[in-house]
mmCIF file of all heavy atoms in Angstrom:
data_model
loop_
_atom_site.group_PDB
_atom_site.id
_atom_site.type_symbol
_atom_site.label_atom_id
_atom_site.label_comp_id
_atom_site.label_asym_id
_atom_site.label_seq_id
_atom_site.Cartn_x
_atom_site.Cartn_y
_atom_site.Cartn_z
ATOM 1 N N MET A 1 94.626 84.042 110.347
ATOM 2 C CA MET A 1 95.640 84.725 111.105
ATOM 3 C C MET A 1 95.815 84.059 112.465
ATOM 4 O O MET A 1 96.939 83.983 112.947
ATOM 5 C CB MET A 1 95.244 86.197 111.253
ATOM 6 C CG MET A 1 96.316 87.071 111.820
ATOM 7 S SD MET A 1 97.786 87.104 110.794
ATOM 8 C CE MET A 1 99.021 87.365 112.018
ATOM 9 N N ALA A 2 94.733 83.560 113.033
ATOM 10 C CA ALA A 2 94.841 82.896 114.336
ATOM 11 C C ALA A 2 95.763 81.681 114.248
ATOM 12 O O ALA A 2 96.593 81.452 115.125
ATOM 13 C CB ALA A 2 93.465 82.477 114.841
ATOM 14 N N GLY A 3 95.656 80.928 113.165
ATOM 15 C CA GLY A 3 96.526 79.772 112.971
ATOM 16 C C GLY A 3 97.978 80.184 112.810
ATOM 17 O O GLY A 3 98.880 79.541 113.341
ATOM 18 N N SER A 4 98.209 81.261 112.098
ATOM 19 C CA SER A 4 99.574 81.751 111.909
ATOM 20 C C SER A 4 100.174 82.206 113.229
ATOM 21 O O SER A 4 101.348 81.972 113.506
ATOM 22 C CB SER A 4 99.589 82.902 110.903
ATOM 23 O OG SER A 4 99.215 82.434 109.627
ATOM 24 N N ALA A 5 99.358 82.856 114.063
ATOM 25 C CA ALA A 5 99.839 83.301 115.375
ATOM 26 C C ALA A 5 100.251 82.102 116.231
ATOM 27 O O ALA A 5 101.272 82.152 116.925
ATOM 28 C CB ALA A 5 98.764 84.120 116.080
ATOM 29 N N ILE A 6 99.495 81.024 116.147
ATOM 30 C CA ILE A 6 99.829 79.812 116.898
ATOM 31 C C ILE A 6 101.150 79.226 116.396
ATOM 32 O O ILE A 6 101.986 78.781 117.182
ATOM 33 C CB ILE A 6 98.695 78.770 116.796
ATOM 34 C CG1 ILE A 6 97.475 79.272 117.571
ATOM 35 C CG2 ILE A 6 99.142 77.399 117.285
ATOM 36 C CD1 ILE A 6 96.217 78.473 117.332
ATOM 37 N N LEU A 7 101.361 79.254 115.090
ATOM 38 C CA LEU A 7 102.592 78.704 114.525
ATOM 39 C C LEU A 7 103.809 79.575 114.800
ATOM 40 O O LEU A 7 104.908 79.071 115.000
ATOM 41 C CB LEU A 7 102.438 78.518 113.014
ATOM 42 C CG LEU A 7 101.450 77.438 112.587
ATOM 43 C CD1 LEU A 7 101.258 77.460 111.078
ATOM 44 C CD2 LEU A 7 101.913 76.070 113.043
ATOM 45 N N VAL A 8 103.636 80.895 114.834
ATOM 46 C CA VAL A 8 104.757 81.805 115.077
ATOM 47 C C VAL A 8 105.195 81.750 116.532
ATOM 48 O O VAL A 8 106.380 81.877 116.831
ATOM 49 C CB VAL A 8 104.385 83.250 114.670
ATOM 50 C CG1 VAL A 8 105.417 84.251 115.170
ATOM 51 C CG2 VAL A 8 104.248 83.365 113.156
ATOM 52 N N GLY A 9 104.268 81.531 117.434
ATOM 53 C CA GLY A 9 104.559 81.556 118.866
ATOM 54 C C GLY A 9 105.786 80.791 119.316
ATOM 55 O O GLY A 9 106.664 81.357 119.978
ATOM 56 N N PRO A 10 105.924 79.517 118.978
ATOM 57 C CA PRO A 10 107.041 78.739 119.516
ATOM 58 C C PRO A 10 108.328 78.752 118.679
ATOM 59 O O PRO A 10 109.308 78.123 119.061
ATOM 60 C CB PRO A 10 106.469 77.323 119.571
ATOM 61 C CG PRO A 10 105.500 77.271 118.450
ATOM 62 C CD PRO A 10 104.899 78.660 118.384
ATOM 63 N N VAL A 11 108.349 79.458 117.554
ATOM 64 C CA VAL A 11 109.537 79.390 116.702
ATOM 65 C C VAL A 11 110.631 80.356 117.151
ATOM 66 O O VAL A 11 110.368 81.369 117.788
ATOM 67 C CB VAL A 11 109.193 79.659 115.211
ATOM 68 C CG1 VAL A 11 108.152 78.677 114.716
ATOM 69 C CG2 VAL A 11 108.742 81.087 114.979
ATOM 70 N N ASP A 12 111.873 80.038 116.791
ATOM 71 C CA ASP A 12 113.014 80.901 117.095
ATOM 72 C C ASP A 12 113.192 81.977 116.032
ATOM 73 O O ASP A 12 113.743 83.038 116.293
ATOM 74 C CB ASP A 12 114.301 80.082 117.190
ATOM 75 C CG ASP A 12 114.275 79.107 118.351
ATOM 76 O OD1 ASP A 12 113.713 79.458 119.403
ATOM 77 O OD2 ASP A 12 114.804 77.997 118.198
ATOM 78 N N GLN A 13 112.766 81.672 114.818
ATOM 79 C CA GLN A 13 112.909 82.600 113.699
ATOM 80 C C GLN A 13 111.865 82.245 112.643
ATOM 81 O O GLN A 13 111.582 81.068 112.410
ATOM 82 C CB GLN A 13 114.310 82.482 113.085
ATOM 83 C CG GLN A 13 114.562 83.398 111.917
ATOM 84 C CD GLN A 13 115.959 83.222 111.326
ATOM 85 O OE1 GLN A 13 116.452 82.105 111.209
ATOM 86 N NE2 GLN A 13 116.577 84.316 110.950
ATOM 87 N N LEU A 14 111.312 83.263 112.005
ATOM 88 C CA LEU A 14 110.359 83.051 110.919
ATOM 89 C C LEU A 14 111.079 83.248 109.592
ATOM 90 O O LEU A 14 111.731 84.276 109.380
ATOM 91 C CB LEU A 14 109.200 84.051 111.014
ATOM 92 C CG LEU A 14 108.196 84.013 109.865
ATOM 93 C CD1 LEU A 14 107.390 82.716 109.905
ATOM 94 C CD2 LEU A 14 107.275 85.218 109.911
ATOM 95 N N LEU A 15 111.005 82.251 108.726
ATOM 96 C CA LEU A 15 111.526 82.368 107.373
ATOM 97 C C LEU A 15 110.322 82.608 106.466
ATOM 98 O O LEU A 15 109.446 81.754 106.373
ATOM 99 C CB LEU A 15 112.254 81.091 106.947
ATOM 100 C CG LEU A 15 113.437 80.677 107.805
ATOM 101 C CD1 LEU A 15 114.028 79.368 107.303
ATOM 102 C CD2 LEU A 15 114.493 81.757 107.826
ATOM 103 N N ALA A 16 110.302 83.755 105.823
ATOM 104 C CA ALA A 16 109.143 84.119 105.010
ATOM 105 C C ALA A 16 109.533 84.263 103.551
ATOM 106 O O ALA A 16 110.450 85.006 103.215
ATOM 107 C CB ALA A 16 108.550 85.437 105.512
ATOM 108 N N VAL A 17 108.847 83.536 102.683
ATOM 109 C CA VAL A 17 108.991 83.727 101.242
ATOM 110 C C VAL A 17 107.987 84.809 100.891
ATOM 111 O O VAL A 17 106.781 84.565 100.829
ATOM 112 C CB VAL A 17 108.717 82.420 100.474
ATOM 113 C CG1 VAL A 17 108.848 82.641 98.978
ATOM 114 C CG2 VAL A 17 109.656 81.317 100.950
ATOM 115 N N TRP A 18 108.512 86.029 100.719
ATOM 116 C CA TRP A 18 107.628 87.191 100.634
ATOM 117 C C TRP A 18 108.227 88.246 99.723
ATOM 118 O O TRP A 18 109.406 88.566 99.815
ATOM 119 C CB TRP A 18 107.427 87.746 102.050
ATOM 120 C CG TRP A 18 106.586 88.961 102.185
ATOM 121 C CD1 TRP A 18 105.404 89.220 101.555
ATOM 122 C CD2 TRP A 18 106.839 90.081 103.027
ATOM 123 N NE1 TRP A 18 104.911 90.437 101.948
ATOM 124 C CE2 TRP A 18 105.781 90.989 102.862
ATOM 125 C CE3 TRP A 18 107.857 90.410 103.903
ATOM 126 C CZ2 TRP A 18 105.718 92.187 103.539
ATOM 127 C CZ3 TRP A 18 107.786 91.603 104.571
ATOM 128 C CH2 TRP A 18 106.723 92.476 104.396
ATOM 129 N N ASP A 19 107.378 88.818 98.878
ATOM 130 C CA ASP A 19 107.840 89.845 97.939
ATOM 131 C C ASP A 19 107.870 91.235 98.548
ATOM 132 O O ASP A 19 108.227 92.200 97.887
ATOM 133 C CB ASP A 19 106.986 89.847 96.677
ATOM 134 C CG ASP A 19 105.516 90.124 96.941
ATOM 135 O OD1 ASP A 19 105.139 90.423 98.095
ATOM 136 O OD2 ASP A 19 104.730 90.034 95.983
ATOM 137 N N GLY A 20 107.501 91.375 99.815
ATOM 138 C CA GLY A 20 107.547 92.659 100.495
ATOM 139 C C GLY A 20 106.320 93.525 100.297
ATOM 140 O O GLY A 20 106.247 94.626 100.828
ATOM 141 N N LYS A 21 105.351 93.024 99.553
ATOM 142 C CA LYS A 21 104.144 93.807 99.282
ATOM 143 C C LYS A 21 103.098 93.585 100.375
ATOM 144 O O LYS A 21 103.110 92.569 101.063
ATOM 145 C CB LYS A 21 103.570 93.428 97.916
ATOM 146 C CG LYS A 21 104.506 93.793 96.779
ATOM 147 C CD LYS A 21 103.921 93.437 95.448
ATOM 148 C CE LYS A 21 104.900 93.796 94.338
ATOM 149 N NZ LYS A 21 104.390 93.407 93.029
ATOM 150 N N PRO A 22 102.162 94.535 100.519
ATOM 151 C CA PRO A 22 101.095 94.373 101.508
ATOM 152 C C PRO A 22 100.248 93.134 101.219
ATOM 153 O O PRO A 22 100.171 92.680 100.070
ATOM 154 C CB PRO A 22 100.253 95.639 101.336
ATOM 155 C CG PRO A 22 101.134 96.615 100.641
ATOM 156 C CD PRO A 22 102.081 95.804 99.801
ATOM 157 N N ALA A 23 99.636 92.616 102.254
ATOM 158 C CA ALA A 23 98.749 91.462 102.110
ATOM 159 C C ALA A 23 97.556 91.825 101.241
ATOM 160 O O ALA A 23 97.036 92.935 101.318
ATOM 161 C CB ALA A 23 98.278 90.987 103.477
ATOM 162 N N SER A 24 97.123 90.888 100.421
ATOM 163 C CA SER A 24 95.935 91.130 99.594
ATOM 164 C C SER A 24 94.664 90.787 100.360
ATOM 165 O O SER A 24 93.567 91.094 99.914
ATOM 166 C CB SER A 24 96.020 90.336 98.289
ATOM 167 O OG SER A 24 96.134 88.955 98.563
ATOM 168 N N GLY A 25 94.814 90.145 101.501
ATOM 169 C CA GLY A 25 93.694 89.822 102.371
ATOM 170 C C GLY A 25 94.218 89.597 103.774
ATOM 171 O O GLY A 25 95.412 89.340 103.964
ATOM 172 N N TYR A 26 93.340 89.695 104.756
ATOM 173 C CA TYR A 26 93.775 89.546 106.146
ATOM 174 C C TYR A 26 94.385 88.170 106.367
ATOM 175 O O TYR A 26 93.835 87.155 105.955
ATOM 176 C CB TYR A 26 92.597 89.743 107.102
ATOM 177 C CG TYR A 26 92.987 89.634 108.558
ATOM 178 C CD1 TYR A 26 93.856 90.554 109.118
ATOM 179 C CD2 TYR A 26 92.512 88.614 109.343
ATOM 180 C CE1 TYR A 26 94.239 90.458 110.447
ATOM 181 C CE2 TYR A 26 92.877 88.515 110.679
ATOM 182 C CZ TYR A 26 93.740 89.443 111.215
ATOM 183 O OH TYR A 26 94.122 89.343 112.528
ATOM 184 N N GLY A 27 95.553 88.158 106.985
ATOM 185 C CA GLY A 27 96.224 86.905 107.294
ATOM 186 C C GLY A 27 97.247 86.497 106.245
ATOM 187 O O GLY A 27 97.806 85.417 106.315
ATOM 188 N N GLY A 28 97.502 87.381 105.291
ATOM 189 C CA GLY A 28 98.500 87.094 104.274
ATOM 190 C C GLY A 28 99.908 87.165 104.840
ATOM 191 O O GLY A 28 100.120 87.473 106.019
ATOM 192 N N THR A 29 100.863 86.900 104.001
ATOM 193 C CA THR A 29 102.256 86.862 104.439
ATOM 194 C C THR A 29 102.673 88.161 105.121
ATOM 195 O O THR A 29 103.358 88.139 106.146
ATOM 196 C CB THR A 29 103.189 86.558 103.251
ATOM 197 O OG1 THR A 29 102.764 85.333 102.640
ATOM 198 C CG2 THR A 29 104.629 86.422 103.713
ATOM 199 N N ALA A 30 102.275 89.304 104.578
ATOM 200 C CA ALA A 30 102.643 90.584 105.185
ATOM 201 C C ALA A 30 102.131 90.683 106.617
ATOM 202 O O ALA A 30 102.839 91.184 107.500
ATOM 203 C CB ALA A 30 102.101 91.744 104.348
ATOM 204 N N ASP A 31 100.922 90.208 106.861
ATOM 205 C CA ASP A 31 100.359 90.250 108.211
ATOM 206 C C ASP A 31 101.113 89.327 109.164
ATOM 207 O O ASP A 31 101.345 89.671 110.323
ATOM 208 C CB ASP A 31 98.873 89.861 108.188
ATOM 209 C CG ASP A 31 98.021 90.867 107.460
ATOM 210 O OD1 ASP A 31 98.338 92.080 107.518
ATOM 211 O OD2 ASP A 31 97.030 90.455 106.827
ATOM 212 N N VAL A 32 101.510 88.167 108.673
ATOM 213 C CA VAL A 32 102.233 87.218 109.518
ATOM 214 C C VAL A 32 103.626 87.764 109.849
ATOM 215 O O VAL A 32 104.077 87.692 110.992
ATOM 216 C CB VAL A 32 102.313 85.830 108.849
ATOM 217 C CG1 VAL A 32 103.132 84.863 109.692
ATOM 218 C CG2 VAL A 32 100.913 85.275 108.603
ATOM 219 N N VAL A 33 104.297 88.346 108.860
ATOM 220 C CA VAL A 33 105.610 88.949 109.099
ATOM 221 C C VAL A 33 105.477 90.084 110.114
ATOM 222 O O VAL A 33 106.273 90.192 111.051
ATOM 223 C CB VAL A 33 106.232 89.446 107.774
ATOM 224 C CG1 VAL A 33 107.437 90.343 108.028
ATOM 225 C CG2 VAL A 33 106.620 88.264 106.895
ATOM 226 N N ASP A 34 104.475 90.925 109.956
ATOM 227 C CA ASP A 34 104.251 92.030 110.894
ATOM 228 C C ASP A 34 103.994 91.499 112.301
ATOM 229 O O ASP A 34 104.560 92.003 113.273
ATOM 230 C CB ASP A 34 103.077 92.885 110.423
ATOM 231 C CG ASP A 34 102.793 94.028 111.373
ATOM 232 O OD1 ASP A 34 103.691 94.876 111.591
ATOM 233 O OD2 ASP A 34 101.661 94.082 111.912
ATOM 234 N N TYR A 35 103.177 90.477 112.411
ATOM 235 C CA TYR A 35 102.874 89.889 113.725
ATOM 236 C C TYR A 35 104.159 89.352 114.371
ATOM 237 O O TYR A 35 104.412 89.603 115.549
ATOM 238 C CB TYR A 35 101.849 88.763 113.581
ATOM 239 C CG TYR A 35 101.622 88.019 114.864
ATOM 240 C CD1 TYR A 35 100.783 88.539 115.847
ATOM 241 C CD2 TYR A 35 102.264 86.810 115.128
ATOM 242 C CE1 TYR A 35 100.594 87.875 117.055
ATOM 243 C CE2 TYR A 35 102.077 86.139 116.317
ATOM 244 C CZ TYR A 35 101.245 86.678 117.280
ATOM 245 O OH TYR A 35 101.066 86.018 118.471
ATOM 246 N N ALA A 36 104.949 88.627 113.603
ATOM 247 C CA ALA A 36 106.185 88.069 114.150
ATOM 248 C C ALA A 36 107.108 89.181 114.641
ATOM 249 O O ALA A 36 107.660 89.101 115.741
ATOM 250 C CB ALA A 36 106.887 87.221 113.089
ATOM 251 N N ARG A 37 107.249 90.222 113.846
ATOM 252 C CA ARG A 37 108.123 91.334 114.251
ATOM 253 C C ARG A 37 107.598 92.032 115.502
ATOM 254 O O ARG A 37 108.370 92.377 116.390
ATOM 255 C CB ARG A 37 108.267 92.318 113.100
ATOM 256 C CG ARG A 37 109.127 91.764 111.973
ATOM 257 C CD ARG A 37 109.213 92.709 110.799
ATOM 258 N NE ARG A 37 110.176 92.217 109.820
ATOM 259 C CZ ARG A 37 110.183 92.572 108.548
ATOM 260 N NH1 ARG A 37 109.294 93.440 108.086
ATOM 261 N NH2 ARG A 37 111.086 92.081 107.722
ATOM 262 N N ARG A 38 106.285 92.231 115.573
ATOM 263 C CA ARG A 38 105.696 92.903 116.749
ATOM 264 C C ARG A 38 105.867 92.083 118.016
ATOM 265 O O ARG A 38 105.945 92.643 119.109
ATOM 266 C CB ARG A 38 104.213 93.202 116.523
ATOM 267 C CG ARG A 38 103.964 94.352 115.586
ATOM 268 C CD ARG A 38 102.484 94.738 115.498
ATOM 269 N NE ARG A 38 101.730 93.724 114.766
ATOM 270 C CZ ARG A 38 100.777 92.949 115.278
ATOM 271 N NH1 ARG A 38 100.433 93.047 116.540
ATOM 272 N NH2 ARG A 38 100.146 92.054 114.528
ATOM 273 N N THR A 39 105.919 90.769 117.876
ATOM 274 C CA THR A 39 106.048 89.914 119.055
ATOM 275 C C THR A 39 107.500 89.551 119.356
ATOM 276 O O THR A 39 107.762 88.747 120.245
ATOM 277 C CB THR A 39 105.199 88.629 118.902
ATOM 278 O OG1 THR A 39 105.629 87.915 117.737
ATOM 279 C CG2 THR A 39 103.724 88.957 118.795
ATOM 280 N N GLY A 40 108.426 90.133 118.598
ATOM 281 C CA GLY A 40 109.842 89.922 118.883
ATOM 282 C C GLY A 40 110.469 88.710 118.229
ATOM 283 O O GLY A 40 111.606 88.362 118.546
ATOM 284 N N THR A 41 109.755 88.060 117.333
ATOM 285 C CA THR A 41 110.316 86.912 116.632
ATOM 286 C C THR A 41 111.162 87.417 115.462
ATOM 287 O O THR A 41 110.660 88.168 114.630
ATOM 288 C CB THR A 41 109.190 85.997 116.089
ATOM 289 O OG1 THR A 41 108.404 85.536 117.188
ATOM 290 C CG2 THR A 41 109.753 84.804 115.342
ATOM 291 N N PRO A 42 112.423 87.039 115.389
ATOM 292 C CA PRO A 42 113.245 87.460 114.258
ATOM 293 C C PRO A 42 112.658 86.932 112.947
ATOM 294 O O PRO A 42 112.163 85.798 112.890
ATOM 295 C CB PRO A 42 114.603 86.826 114.536
ATOM 296 C CG PRO A 42 114.606 86.543 115.998
ATOM 297 C CD PRO A 42 113.178 86.242 116.358
ATOM 298 N N VAL A 43 112.729 87.758 111.916
ATOM 299 C CA VAL A 43 112.178 87.399 110.607
ATOM 300 C C VAL A 43 113.281 87.475 109.562
ATOM 301 O O VAL A 43 114.023 88.450 109.504
ATOM 302 C CB VAL A 43 111.032 88.352 110.207
ATOM 303 C CG1 VAL A 43 110.531 88.043 108.805
ATOM 304 C CG2 VAL A 43 109.896 88.282 111.219
ATOM 305 N N ARG A 44 113.375 86.453 108.758
ATOM 306 C CA ARG A 44 114.283 86.455 107.604
ATOM 307 C C ARG A 44 113.418 86.307 106.360
ATOM 308 O O ARG A 44 112.683 85.319 106.209
ATOM 309 C CB ARG A 44 115.270 85.304 107.689
ATOM 310 C CG ARG A 44 116.237 85.308 106.530
ATOM 311 C CD ARG A 44 117.351 84.308 106.736
ATOM 312 N NE ARG A 44 118.154 84.242 105.526
ATOM 313 C CZ ARG A 44 118.864 83.197 105.176
ATOM 314 N NH1 ARG A 44 118.893 82.131 105.950
ATOM 315 N NH2 ARG A 44 119.551 83.219 104.070
ATOM 316 N N VAL A 45 113.475 87.294 105.493
ATOM 317 C CA VAL A 45 112.681 87.277 104.266
ATOM 318 C C VAL A 45 113.521 86.692 103.145
ATOM 319 O O VAL A 45 114.644 87.126 102.897
ATOM 320 C CB VAL A 45 112.200 88.694 103.898
ATOM 321 C CG1 VAL A 45 111.463 88.688 102.572
ATOM 322 C CG2 VAL A 45 111.298 89.251 104.996
ATOM 323 N N LEU A 46 112.953 85.704 102.467
ATOM 324 C CA LEU A 46 113.607 85.063 101.347
ATOM 325 C C LEU A 46 112.911 85.515 100.070
ATOM 326 O O LEU A 46 111.749 85.180 99.833
ATOM 327 C CB LEU A 46 113.511 83.537 101.475
ATOM 328 C CG LEU A 46 113.989 82.945 102.796
ATOM 329 C CD1 LEU A 46 113.684 81.456 102.850
ATOM 330 C CD2 LEU A 46 115.460 83.188 102.981
ATOM 331 N N TRP A 47 113.580 86.301 99.280
ATOM 332 C CA TRP A 47 113.039 86.750 97.989
ATOM 333 C C TRP A 47 114.230 87.083 97.100
ATOM 334 O O TRP A 47 114.837 88.131 97.248
ATOM 335 C CB TRP A 47 112.112 87.941 98.149
ATOM 336 C CG TRP A 47 111.307 88.172 96.905
ATOM 337 C CD1 TRP A 47 111.577 89.074 95.910
ATOM 338 C CD2 TRP A 47 110.143 87.475 96.492
ATOM 339 N NE1 TRP A 47 110.655 88.986 94.909
ATOM 340 C CE2 TRP A 47 109.748 88.003 95.245
ATOM 341 C CE3 TRP A 47 109.388 86.452 97.037
ATOM 342 C CZ2 TRP A 47 108.631 87.546 94.550
ATOM 343 C CZ3 TRP A 47 108.283 85.987 96.355
ATOM 344 C CH2 TRP A 47 107.906 86.535 95.129
ATOM 345 N N PRO A 48 114.580 86.198 96.183
ATOM 346 C CA PRO A 48 115.753 86.425 95.355
ATOM 347 C C PRO A 48 115.653 87.693 94.509
ATOM 348 O O PRO A 48 114.572 88.045 94.027
ATOM 349 C CB PRO A 48 115.785 85.187 94.431
ATOM 350 C CG PRO A 48 114.907 84.183 95.091
ATOM 351 C CD PRO A 48 113.899 84.950 95.878
ATOM 352 N N ALA A 49 116.772 88.364 94.337
ATOM 353 C CA ALA A 49 116.814 89.561 93.494
ATOM 354 C C ALA A 49 116.330 89.195 92.095
ATOM 355 O O ALA A 49 116.720 88.159 91.547
ATOM 356 C CB ALA A 49 118.236 90.094 93.448
ATOM 357 N N GLY A 50 115.443 90.004 91.570
ATOM 358 C CA GLY A 50 114.921 89.780 90.235
ATOM 359 C C GLY A 50 113.736 88.852 90.162
ATOM 360 O O GLY A 50 113.154 88.668 89.088
ATOM 361 N N ALA A 51 113.355 88.223 91.274
ATOM 362 C CA ALA A 51 112.198 87.315 91.265
ATOM 363 C C ALA A 51 110.917 88.129 91.102
ATOM 364 O O ALA A 51 110.816 89.262 91.568
ATOM 365 C CB ALA A 51 112.150 86.514 92.563
ATOM 366 N N THR A 52 109.942 87.556 90.442
ATOM 367 C CA THR A 52 108.646 88.194 90.255
ATOM 368 C C THR A 52 107.535 87.204 90.529
ATOM 369 O O THR A 52 107.742 85.986 90.456
ATOM 370 C CB THR A 52 108.483 88.741 88.816
ATOM 371 O OG1 THR A 52 108.613 87.654 87.892
ATOM 372 C CG2 THR A 52 109.527 89.795 88.500
ATOM 373 N N ARG A 53 106.369 87.743 90.828
ATOM 374 C CA ARG A 53 105.191 86.899 91.007
ATOM 375 C C ARG A 53 104.499 86.771 89.660
ATOM 376 O O ARG A 53 104.517 87.678 88.845
ATOM 377 C CB ARG A 53 104.230 87.538 92.000
ATOM 378 C CG ARG A 53 104.826 87.625 93.393
ATOM 379 C CD ARG A 53 103.798 88.145 94.316
ATOM 380 N NE ARG A 53 102.870 87.039 94.553
ATOM 381 C CZ ARG A 53 102.449 86.672 95.742
ATOM 382 N NH1 ARG A 53 102.810 87.327 96.800
ATOM 383 N NH2 ARG A 53 101.633 85.671 95.878
ATOM 384 N N THR A 54 103.893 85.637 89.412
ATOM 385 C CA THR A 54 103.179 85.452 88.148
ATOM 386 C C THR A 54 101.701 85.368 88.369
ATOM 387 O O THR A 54 101.222 85.170 89.423
ATOM 388 C CB THR A 54 103.643 84.171 87.425
ATOM 389 O OG1 THR A 54 103.438 83.055 88.282
ATOM 390 C CG2 THR A 54 105.090 84.281 87.041
#
């Protein structure tokens, strides 16, 4: 998560490939999206309709 925080810091927008589900472990995509939103970084989630995880 510390590495993700460093990467989110200087960006204008976070593009996240994310299914919208909670993180399965600390520092997962859900945690990074939450961190970006809490710090005011705009987030765009990319997850096509009908896509599933395998």
Side-chain angles (χ1 to χ4, degrees):
M1 190 61 210
S4 294
I6 291 169
L7 292 173
V8 168
V11 303
D12 295 324
Q13 180 181 40
L14 175 69
L15 301 178
V17 179
W18 178 43
D19 60 6
K21 295 181 181 177
S24 59
Y26 181 64
T29 304
D31 293 326
V32 177
V33 167
D34 179 60
Y35 173 80
R37 288 177 173 159
R38 285 187 288 115
T39 59
T41 300
V43 176
R44 181 171 173 205
V45 176
L46 307 173
W47 194 262
T52 59
R53 295 185 75 132
T54 58

